[in-house]
Amino acid sequence: MAGENNPLLLTDEQMRRFITDGFLVLKTDFSKEFHGRLNEQLLKVYEEEGNPGNNLLPRVTELQRVFEHPVITGALTSVLGSDYMLHAHRHGHYNASSVPGAWHKDSYWGYNRMRNHHPWWAMIMYFPQDTPVELGPTGILPGTQNYDSRVFESNELDQEVLACGEAGTFALIHYDIWHRATPNTLGNPRFMLKFEFMRTKAPDKPSWNNVESAWRLPESTSTLFAQHDVMWEETWNWLSGEIGSMATTATCSSNNLENKLRALENEYEPIALNAAYELACCGKDGVQTLLSALHHENSHVSRLAAYGLSIAGKEAIPGLIQALDHSRTSTVVRAIFALSEHRHLAAEAVPILNGLLENASVIVRRSIAEALGMIGSPAKEAVEGLIRCLQDEDAQVRFMAGLSLSRIGAAADSAVPQLEIALQDENRYVRAHAAEALRYIGTERANKAIITFLFNSRWCPTTTPANQFYP
């Protein structure tokens, strides 16, 4: 959660650029001495013990000050809301190699899922040393956070933006953007400290320093691949607290619908993506076109149709619920995703989703575990389903259930006994997410359970193989 210092919230222009580009490069104002100490600690830990992985923060305790800095808390609050979660997965990337890394999107700890266009997740990539181009900063492909494919592969180096700068520079990125490590031609140690953050509450109003209510394009942008006017405006509206804001905003003739359907089938993803969003604006006829496309034999078309349906409003919900009975697993998963983005408007789907937990494939159960937390209503039924998910044989179903219960909060108090059991799970993320769920539930029993767990699992950050007991 955000630190005690007053967050320095993003401006409208910065939010517009984040929506279009998928990232912002910002800077903290810590002293050179602070970063010097931080780098000394990091070098010592890496030389003596190796990469601390998820224990990076407790092992290098001064890092906590970074995530209490008003520029960082303000950026995260602006994008994810004030109740954002610092995820248990974190990693200190060490790069002294002249070999560039591969372009990639980060996974969800091995979990293959539909990626949200709405910013439910974000990452901070923090550089604790001066990081010029020659030291191998992170390379980012602007505007690619909403693309499953890599576009412009032949000239992507011309599109790449480097997160370079003085010590204290960091990139705030949409979790799903394409990025890579660039070559370190100097060969000197370069750290990039990566931390992940999750939105725990859907937006009900702007959480940045909002002055202008209406969307408009940013004054400057790094996005060169395509213009996505409907998608960008819808994301702005979503961050402002609206659901289905673009539904029925356009009138489409039959010829228009046919043209948009052909565009949806285009192999170039930016064109097809625009068509999906534009169809979502066309009321009942647009929804019916998207529902037909959801069942399309081409998986690419079906996936993009799900994005259109996810912003189409109440009109899409009956057809999406009907699609839950489809024989093709991928169609069911996409229908679940689209329903989850409608949040409480899709409450009537919760009993059906709970019923699917009985016999559904593991991929479907994973999707249900996430969707129940995002729909969240009726809370009693959603929590009942998530308690079952905590007992699932699949670790990914169990750890997603913990995150979903974090989103439901105090209304998930009945899950506390099962969460106490999950604190002893063999999977580190099931344990971590169960602890987070207890923290966000926040009742007396939940607090007692988490304090006991943390006390029993406490560790000493100065105990190392070279310094086991004294001083």
Side-chain angles (χ1 to χ4, degrees):
M1 297 177 67
E4 295 181 358
N5 295 328
N6 291 329
L8 186 60
L9 299 176
L10 298 179
T11 65
D12 283 340
E13 177 66 11
Q14 287 175 311
M15 282 300 294
R16 287 189 284 261
R17 287 179 54 203
F18 182 82
I19 289 170
T20 57
D21 294 1
F23 77 98
L24 292 170
V25 177
L26 304 168
K27 187 179 183 299
T28 60
D29 60 359
F30 289 110
S31 66
K32 290 185 177 180
E33 290 75 20
F34 171 83
H35 284 115
R37 293 193 305 272
L38 190 55
N39 274 286
E40 287 179 8
Q41 293 179 57
L42 287 165
L43 285 168
K44 183 176 181 181
V45 168
Y46 275 66
E47 288 173 359
E48 294 183 357
E49 306 162 37
N51 192 324
N54 289 347
N55 285 329
L56 178 63
L57 195 56
R59 187 65 192 88
V60 186
T61 54
E62 205 158 12
L63 265 176
Q64 184 59 48
R65 290 182 58 192
V66 171
F67 294 101
E68 294 170 353
H69 193 284
V71 174
I72 287 186
T73 61
L76 290 168
T77 297
S78 297
V79 171
L80 300 177
S82 59
D83 289 322
Y84 62 81
M85 178 193 296
L86 169 58
H87 192 269
H89 178 71
R90 61 284 305 256
H91 190 67
H93 285 267
Y94 176 89
N95 178 21
S97 173
S98 61
V99 179
W103 287 107
H104 65 284
K105 289 175 179 268
D106 281 16
S107 76
Y108 290 81
W109 331 290
Y111 179 26
N112 184 19
R113 59 187 286 281
M114 284 281 290
R115 295 178 180 267
N116 300 84
H117 291 172
H118 295 145
W120 284 96
W121 292 86
M123 281 196 288
I124 293 286
M125 295 179 168
Y126 191 83
F127 295 90
Q129 71 284 301
D130 290 345
T131 310
V133 172
E134 296 81 7
L135 200 62
T138 300
I140 300 167
L141 284 180
T144 60
Q145 67 273 18
N146 299 319
Y147 301 153
D148 189 59
S149 59
R150 276 169 54 194
V151 296
F152 282 86
E153 291 188 42
S154 60
N155 65 340
E156 58 198 8
L157 293 182
D158 296 334
Q159 323 295 330
E160 184 177 27
V161 172
L162 303 182
C164 51
E166 297 177 340
T169 297
F170 68 96
L172 167 71
I173 69 171
H174 187 296
Y175 189 89
D176 295 328
I177 205 164
W178 285 92
H179 62 281
R180 66 163 186 160
T182 59
N184 183 345
T185 58
L186 296 179
N188 299 330
R190 187 278 278 161
F191 288 104
M192 184 275 281
L193 310 178
K194 183 186 77 175
F195 289 78
E196 302 176 7
F197 300 85
M198 186 189 86
R199 174 183 283 277
T200 62
K201 291 183 179 178
D204 57 9
K205 61 183 178 180
S207 55
W208 67 96
N209 185 18
N210 179 232
V211 177
E212 301 178 48
S213 60
W215 165 257
R216 64 178 175 86
L217 291 173
E219 295 175 4
S220 63
T221 178
S222 302
T223 301
L224 301 175
F225 296 106
Q227 189 99 349
H228 295 292
D229 294 322
V230 176
M231 179 170 63
W232 293 337
E233 181 176 359
E234 195 281 332
T235 301
W236 172 272
N237 294 345
W238 184 87
L239 284 163
S240 300
E242 300 180 42
I243 306 176
S245 64
M246 305 303 289
T248 69
T249 58
T251 302
C252 298
S253 65
S254 57
N255 285 340
N256 220 341
L257 291 171
E258 290 176 7
N259 290 336
K260 292 186 187 304
L261 178 58
R262 282 195 292 271
L264 185 64
E265 296 171 340
N266 195 295
E267 292 184 0
Y268 184 56
E269 187 172 8
I271 291 175
L273 187 58
N274 275 342
Y277 273 78
E278 289 164 6
L279 282 165
C281 301
C282 293
K284 182 177 180 180
D285 292 337
V287 167
Q288 290 304 313
T289 302
L290 286 168
L291 285 169
S292 296
L294 183 69
H295 298 79
H296 201 287
E297 60 182 13
N298 185 317
S299 180
H300 171 74
V301 175
S302 173
R303 180 181 62 83
L304 291 173
Y307 286 116
L309 290 164
S310 75
I311 62 125
K314 291 182 179 180
E315 190 72 47
I317 290 172
L320 288 169
I321 290 175
Q322 187 176 3
L324 296 177
D325 193 39
H326 198 277
S327 59
R328 188 172 63 180
T329 297
S330 61
T331 300
V332 176
V333 166
R334 290 160 185 160
I336 294 170
F337 165 83
L339 285 165
S340 72
E341 287 288 343
H342 285 91
R343 306 194 315 256
H344 61 276
L345 299 181
E348 62 188 288
V350 167
I352 301 168
L353 294 174
N354 283 347
L356 283 177
L357 288 171
E358 191 67 35
N359 298 308
S361 72
V362 66
I363 299 172
V364 171
R365 299 199 310 276
R366 291 171 184 170
S367 300
I368 292 172
E370 182 169 25
L372 289 173
M374 293 175 71
I375 297 172
S377 177
K380 183 177 183 294
E381 286 83 350
V383 172
E384 287 174 354
L386 289 168
I387 291 172
R388 291 169 60 190
C389 290
L390 284 172
Q391 302 170 70
D392 198 278
E393 63 182 7
D394 180 70
Q396 294 179 3
V397 175
R398 299 197 302 275
F399 74 54
M400 186 51 68
L403 290 179
S404 286
L405 288 164
S406 299
R407 287 179 168 144
I408 294 175
D413 182 61
S414 60
V416 170
Q418 195 60 46
L419 287 167
E420 290 181 286
I421 295 172
L423 290 173
Q424 308 304 320
D425 197 275
E426 62 182 5
N427 183 279
R428 70 187 72 191
Y429 295 116
V430 176
R431 298 193 300 271
H433 297 174
E436 290 288 4
L438 290 165
R439 181 166 72 97
Y440 280 91
I441 290 170
T443 59
E444 182 177 355
R445 180 172 180 178
N447 289 338
K448 182 178 179 181
I450 192 172
I451 289 171
T452 301
F453 168 71
L454 293 174
F455 189 84
N456 290 339
S457 60
R458 71 195 187 282
W459 74 313
C460 173
T462 57
T463 298
T464 68
N467 178 25
Q468 295 186 22
F469 303 109
Y470 304 104

